[in-house]
Amino acid sequence: METRCIIVDDEPPALDLLASYIDRLDNFKLLGRFGNAIEAFNFMNANAVDLMFVDIQMPQMNGLELIKSLVPRPHVVITTAYREYAADGFDLAILDYLVKPVSFDRFLQSISRYSNSNNASQYQENSLQDTYMFFKVERLMVKIYLKDITYIESIHDYIKIITPDKTYITYTRIGFMDDKLPEGHFVRIHKSYIISLNKIESFRHDSVTVSGRELPVGRVFKQTFIKALENHKFFKE
């Protein structure tokens, strides 16, 4: 199945560059390239789009205004020369934020995030045995099976993925993982931690021990944690 893409940018060289990147990918189709947000808005009201690459600073309507106007909204990757809009972008639950000039290697990280996002929506709730995601670790794309994940720890814009055998560090926000991991198997217990329910050894009202590591349960996540325990049959009637 093809992924339908568009590019929105008022700079022709940026349009050309991203179009050339998309053209290198199998099963990704560029439906259109637009020099302003209003043209893109009109197109998306009449056509289904899966993935949008959009600049922020554009005349008439900027990229953030375009994103906010779209219902339903495709997956969004912001491409901009300005770093200061990153927080605004992630508040809109964008897929990724690329700072120009965008290298092909960094572009592929966004594509990997998109692919992982789609795979996550297809996870079977009854088993994690064969489910995996790819993560960029240093210069390699590493396959990690979800059944092997003990917990995930946030480090600013990076995360540590802890497994019994190894720890991986990758450029991904913990909020992205919280959205994509299957609810019946993982739960966020703190602003900095997501745990595997299957790896819990013990817990109390303010902490949980996972594979020998005691982690805090944040106040705002406590009810979500308790509900996850109940659904996971930790409490016997």
Side-chain angles (χ1 to χ4, degrees):
M1 183 175 179
E2 285 187 324
T3 296
R4 298 159 295 190
C5 308
I6 66 168
I7 309 168
V8 190
D9 200 309
D10 63 339
E11 299 177 352
L15 290 172
D16 292 341
L17 180 66
L18 289 176
S20 71
Y21 287 172
I22 293 171
D23 189 53
R24 299 189 205 179
L25 303 176
D26 294 333
N27 299 321
F28 283 76
K29 181 178 181 180
L30 182 61
L31 296 184
R33 37 190 289 172
F34 304 93
N36 67 72
I38 293 176
E39 289 179 2
F41 176 83
N42 291 332
F43 179 85
M44 283 187 282
N45 277 341
N47 299 274
V49 174
D50 302 309
L51 180 59
M52 174 175 70
F53 296 87
V54 59
D55 189 16
I56 290 182
Q57 292 201 341
M58 292 181 290
Q60 301 180 59
M61 174 188 283
N62 68 39
L64 295 176
E65 292 170 335
L66 173 61
I67 296 168
K68 292 175 183 177
S69 72
L70 297 173
V71 181
R73 186 181 299 167
H75 291 281
V76 177
V77 175
I78 287 178
T79 60
T80 178
Y82 303 93
R83 298 178 181 274
E84 60 264 30
Y85 296 105
D88 295 324
F90 283 110
D91 283 344
L92 294 173
I94 64 167
L95 186 69
D96 207 353
Y97 190 97
L98 304 183
V99 178
K100 298 176 181 177
V102 179
S103 68
F104 186 60
D105 178 71
R106 184 64 184 86
F107 169 81
L108 287 180
Q109 290 184 40
S110 294
I111 296 302
S112 178
R113 288 188 177 197
Y114 172 78
S115 299
N116 286 339
S117 172
N118 277 358
N119 288 340
S121 66
Q122 299 170 11
Y123 291 150
Q124 297 297 316
E125 286 298 321
N126 60 348
S127 176
L128 293 186
Q129 193 63 30
D130 299 317
T131 305
Y132 59 84
M133 296 175 70
F134 277 97
F135 297 92
K136 181 75 177 291
V137 179
E138 295 180 349
R139 297 185 177 182
L140 298 175
M141 296 303 296
V142 178
K143 179 193 288 187
I144 301 177
Y145 284 90
L146 298 196
K147 64 181 176 63
D148 293 333
I149 297 176
T150 300
Y151 66 92
I152 295 171
E153 180 178 357
S154 173
I155 316 170
H156 302 296
D157 292 338
Y158 291 78
I159 58 171
K160 286 200 301 186
I161 301 172
I162 289 83
T163 71
D165 301 321
K166 195 170 182 179
T167 295
Y168 303 90
I169 297 178
T170 184
Y171 179 79
T172 301
R173 289 199 171 200
I174 196 169
F176 174 83
M177 295 303 298
D178 191 25
D179 289 338
K180 303 311 174 187
L181 290 170
E183 288 183 7
H185 300 282
F186 293 87
V187 62
R188 190 169 184 179
I189 60 166
H190 187 274
K191 65 180 182 180
S192 299
Y193 296 103
I194 296 173
I195 64 169
S196 167
L197 289 164
N198 288 331
K199 301 294 196 299
I200 292 176
E201 296 174 350
S202 63
F203 61 89
R204 57 187 185 186
H205 72 283
D206 61 352
S207 68
V208 57
T209 300
V210 182
S211 295
R213 173 79 187 275
E214 186 175 7
L215 304 174
V217 175
R219 180 176 55 83
V220 299
F221 297 95
K222 188 173 295 184
Q223 290 303 315
T224 302
F225 176 52
I226 292 173
K227 184 177 180 180
L229 293 177
E230 292 173 344
N231 292 338
H232 207 67
K233 309 300 183 184
F234 274 87
F235 303 116
K236 302 297 183 180
E237 296 182 356

